[in-house]
Amino acid sequence: MGELRILNGPDKGLCFELNEGVNFIGRSRENNIQIHDETVSRRHLRIVKKSNRYFLTDLASQNGTFLNGAYLTPGIEVETREGVPIGIGMTVIGIGGESCHAMLSLLDSIGLTRDTKDNSGIFAVHKGKTNQRKLELIYKVTGLLQLNLPKEDLLKMLLDVFLELLVRIDRAVFVLIDRETGKIARSISKSKRAKGKTIFSYSEEVVQRVLKEKKSLTIADAQNEAMEAELASTLKMENITSVMCVPMMSFSEIVGAIYVDSMKKPYPFAPEDILFFEDIAHRTAAFVLFEDLTAG
């Protein structure tokens, strides 16, 4: 008999048997499976089990149902398979037993197994859809990295995705280094304020520190957060309110860094944000390193 597993949130770790035929999922106790999550609708989702096949229908839920990189159209039945994450509100569920283990490892690596409620740093603006937005970003990044595109074109497309989903971020940059000298070779950037222009400055002091130490750096509020006086002065002079920079590492080799910042309101970066972007940076670094090794 098929199983439904709760992979994060208040009910994390619970496992329910799916009946043959119709199963209703939601916050109300009247459902076959009750989810104790305020971001899940009272009757959120219908799962129909037909032998070893599974069909999902979103029941016009408030925060939607996320599957395979897209939101389900309410009332339209869609088939899924075991081992695929399903986002309902802030809760992520999956169908299957052993097939869920790999999915759980992925979610844990990007911080999605933690109970963050609505307090989730750079994704907090999405409220009840925070974890769905994280899944959406991972799907889009993974999909782009699988395309046979020139390195610069693909990195620009990734920056577009970052700025689309991280609505309060003003600027995003890939900083690439020369692997022989270890010095910055070039940067590829996008800005919401540039109006088509792609050249702008970033905090070189922040990037250099991340490249040297090979550790992520986040500053949520440059105006008030306790930090080294020199760095604080630099960020204030550059009108940077919040910044996050993570190294792009492929195994032990560093190929660059991902840099995002905000020049308006302070951004409450959460530990989950760092985990999430470190995973993206690792995926992107592997692509960049492969492209560099095969370029000639």
Side-chain angles (χ1 to χ4, degrees):
M1 183 174 291
E3 296 178 340
L4 183 141
R5 292 176 176 263
I6 313 297
L7 303 174
N8 75 338
D11 294 328
K12 177 184 175 182
L14 295 183
C15 180
F16 302 89
E17 292 185 347
L18 289 171
N19 301 321
E20 189 71 19
V22 177
N23 300 265
F24 288 104
I25 318 297
R27 198 174 74 249
S28 170
R29 66 179 65 182
E30 298 174 358
N31 293 284
N32 301 90
I33 297 174
Q34 183 182 15
I35 307 293
H36 299 91
D37 181 347
E38 294 181 356
T39 65
V40 173
S41 294
R42 291 181 60 80
R43 180 159 285 194
H44 195 112
L45 177 69
R46 182 176 68 224
I47 301 178
V48 177
K49 182 178 182 294
K50 299 179 181 179
S51 297
N52 293 320
R53 301 176 68 187
Y54 304 92
F55 300 86
L56 309 183
T57 305
D58 179 82
L59 303 175
S61 62
Q62 180 177 351
N63 289 317
T65 301
F66 188 81
L67 175 74
N68 286 332
Y71 290 92
L72 299 188
T73 301
I76 303 299
E77 189 175 72
V78 175
E79 185 172 6
T80 189
R81 65 183 188 278
E82 293 188 357
V84 176
I86 304 164
I88 55 173
M90 291 286 285
T91 294
V92 181
I93 61 177
I95 298 173
E98 294 298 324
S99 58
C100 284
H101 290 322
M103 175 172 49
L104 190 58
S105 297
L106 167 64
L107 298 180
D108 187 58
S109 72
I110 60 178
L112 270 181
T113 55
R114 302 186 181 191
D115 183 15
T116 59
K117 296 184 172 62
D118 286 347
N119 182 22
S120 189
I122 55 178
F123 288 87
V125 65
H126 299 294
K127 299 186 183 298
K129 293 186 178 182
T130 290
N131 287 342
Q132 296 181 35
R133 290 299 192 185
K134 290 182 178 180
L135 286 174
E136 183 178 356
L137 182 52
I138 282 293
Y139 270 103
K140 287 188 174 182
V141 169
T142 302
L144 286 173
L145 291 174
Q146 291 174 346
L147 298 177
N148 186 23
L149 293 174
K151 179 172 66 177
E152 183 165 344
D153 291 346
L154 188 140
L155 294 180
K156 287 180 178 179
M157 293 175 70
L158 287 175
L159 293 177
D160 286 334
V161 171
F162 295 166
L163 292 178
E164 175 191 354
L165 291 177
L166 307 180
V167 296
R168 293 180 182 172
I169 288 296
D170 291 319
R171 311 187 298 185
V173 191
F174 281 110
V175 180
L176 304 178
I177 66 172
D178 184 308
R179 291 173 46 242
E180 293 185 0
T181 66
K183 296 182 178 180
I184 294 176
R186 60 171 313 195
S187 63
I188 301 171
S189 57
K190 288 287 184 78
S191 170
K192 289 180 179 177
R193 296 186 170 193
K195 297 182 179 180
K197 298 179 181 179
T198 56
I199 300 175
F200 62 87
S201 62
Y202 56 88
S203 176
E204 293 188 15
E205 185 172 347
V206 168
V207 172
Q208 291 287 4
R209 180 173 301 192
V210 168
L211 292 176
K212 179 181 179 180
E213 299 179 358
K214 297 183 180 180
K215 293 195 306 182
S216 299
L217 174 65
T218 62
I219 298 170
D221 187 350
Q223 306 301 315
N224 299 303
E225 188 171 325
M227 69 184 84
E228 297 174 15
E230 184 177 349
L231 179 58
S233 175
T234 299
L235 294 177
K236 290 178 182 178
M237 288 179 57
E238 296 174 342
N239 295 317
I240 296 172
T241 303
S242 304
V243 61
M244 177 171 65
C245 187
V246 298
M248 294 168 59
M249 304 279 296
S250 182
F251 298 102
S252 61
E253 184 165 1
I254 188 165
V255 300
I258 298 177
Y259 171 100
V260 297
D261 71 14
S262 172
M263 305 180 74
K264 294 176 287 188
K265 295 181 179 179
Y267 227 125
F269 293 112
E272 293 79 17
D273 297 329
I274 302 172
L275 280 176
F276 190 80
F277 263 85
E278 284 178 343
D279 180 83
I280 291 177
H282 174 73
R283 295 165 186 258
T284 309
F287 163 78
V288 170
L289 185 58
F290 177 80
E291 289 293 303
D292 289 345
L293 292 174
T294 58

